Amino acid sequence: MPIRLARGLAVLLAASAVATPALAAPTLDGAIGEHAVLQRDRPIDVRGTATPGETVMISLAGHSVSATAARDGRFAARLPALPAGGPYELTVAAPSGAKLLGDILIGDVFLCSGQSNMELTVDDAQTLFADAHPPLDPQLRLLTIAKNASATPLDRLATAPRWQAAGPENVGSFSAACFYMVQSLRRTQKVPIGAIHSSWGGSRISAWMSDAALRAGGQSDAAALIALYARDPAAAVRRAIGQWEEWWRGASGDARGKEPWQPDAALDWRAVPALTNFETWGVPELAEYNGMIWYQKTVELTPAQARGPATLSIGTVDDADTTWVNGVGVGSSSLASQPRVYALPAGTLRAGRNVITVNDDDVYALGGMTGPVERMRLTLADGSSVPLDGGWRYAVAKRVGGGAPRVPWDDINGAGTLDNAMIAPLAPLQLAGIAWYQGESDTGLPGYDRRLTALIADWRRRMGTPETGFAVVQLADYGTRAKAPAESGWGMVRDAQRRVTAADPHAGMAVALDLGDALDIHPGEKREIGLRLARAMRAARYGEPVAPAGPAIAGAKRGADGGAVLRFTGATGALSARGAAQAIGFELCGAAAGSCRFAAGTVTGDTVTLAGDGQPVTHVRYAWAETPVVNLFDEAQLPVGTFDVPVE
């Protein structure tokens, strides 16, 4: 440490020892805490809050820097890049106080994010092998970010970072896919490694995108709406429900004024048996139903009750609701566990008949309005309230294509809400790599490739460099097995993941088609996912001579008989068809909609030949279904993933 800075630090520490008790010691932003790992070979930025105007000195590994807290108390300083090593002590000192963070390592830091398949813990995955019960590794550190959402970017995490050395006491509650990835990288890279897990089940990618990423990814309307919500929530609600209504009319063909949320909508209404999950009602068509259901209830009010504003409480709705009163949209949410409480401006209610209409969009597992009934009531300006615990009726909605819009301030389906609270506060931490396991909630929503590209570029800009590795899990199989070629939202997301990572020299992909479960969207085989992510990261981040995605489609040429000859790259050894003489899961497709048909493939080395059938062929699809039946692997037992490529 330079003599001048060392003396300055001593003075500040001495001053802090007699600091006025009313003054608090400086606080740090981001994920820096006891036992943290900081990124090697990159400048270390330190930001935080102190008493306005005071000098803050930061010291780490023999280097010290100082900064002056601005009028708002914010300060920022930069320590020089350091090689892998430690442990060190990080000291932050100012006249108002000092803090010392011990056991800091310098190594490689990885962020793991996404939805529930990234969130699934080691204890909830398969555990009957030694890697699930590792001995304590002081050089492997784990940090889980608490769930939180915000309509605006936050400077600090909701809870202080709590890094832990990986061992038997904490590995079980950590993300399985993330842990097995960094466990593997620790064995190959031989440097300290820190893993930050920040994910939320059911989340759309838009929730993880900053304002800049949203606009770059084709989500400018959502970015503008979330900004409006921060200024004027009521105006934002009106605009968002208007967009939902436009979506419904376009998807359903219903004319304006004839929609199901109108008070006199003529649907096949039936009495609601109970305010519970509708799968429990004993109605055969609802026993395993996923889709939309309309609920409706009529309330009679006196002129005094109808006068002024009111509050509508309808309990929880699984999964998402959009709610109207007398045909006017009043609220919307998509967090199944969150009780719905909506403000009704004066003029919404009327003397006499009032009609409450709720659209429940059940996208997974159980659905319905689930109470509790004692919370369901209409609270009026005159101090009275009307219980809403009975008298509801329901109608199954017509099937419409595509995913319904979600209000952008929702926790998991919002626009930037999770980035604001669970990613933005991590800055200025630098990252070696990012692992991403998400997409299930975006199936059926076009433009995933653009959104993923924007997220990757934005996260690298904020927390890394253009060379920061990015490894994506291509979605595992789940859902209906294909009996015939058909359009597939899962196929579209998988192919978008393939195209984005293939075009990025520092990205890779872990194909998971062979690791899923047709009956469970949360397959338990996460160790192999982690190993495949580690393999992708070794190529994308460390430049090792391994294929970043295993065997992958390189292109398709027209065959002499009008079929197609497919060439693959990245295979270990030769490709082979498991359990059959030919490879299956291929489709020859023409330009016309509905023209795809199954085609068997003849495998030779790194090529697959699809014989022509006399029909036009413009592109070839593979594994294009929620749960495709496929059998093409290389000698490393890695599968070929979903793709759709033109025939040249």
Side-chain angles (χ1 to χ4, degrees), residues 121-138:
T121 66
V122 170
D123 279 347
D124 288 331
Q126 75 282 39
T127 59
L128 297 179
F129 45 80
D131 280 355
H133 310 278
L136 182 68
D137 184 353

Side-chain angles (χ1 to χ4, degrees), residues 301 303-311 344-346 349 378-385:
L301 298 177
Q305 289 176 314
R307 191 177 300 118
T311 301
L344 308 185
L349 299 174
L378 182 63
T379 304
L380 306 164
D382 68 354
S384 65
S385 66

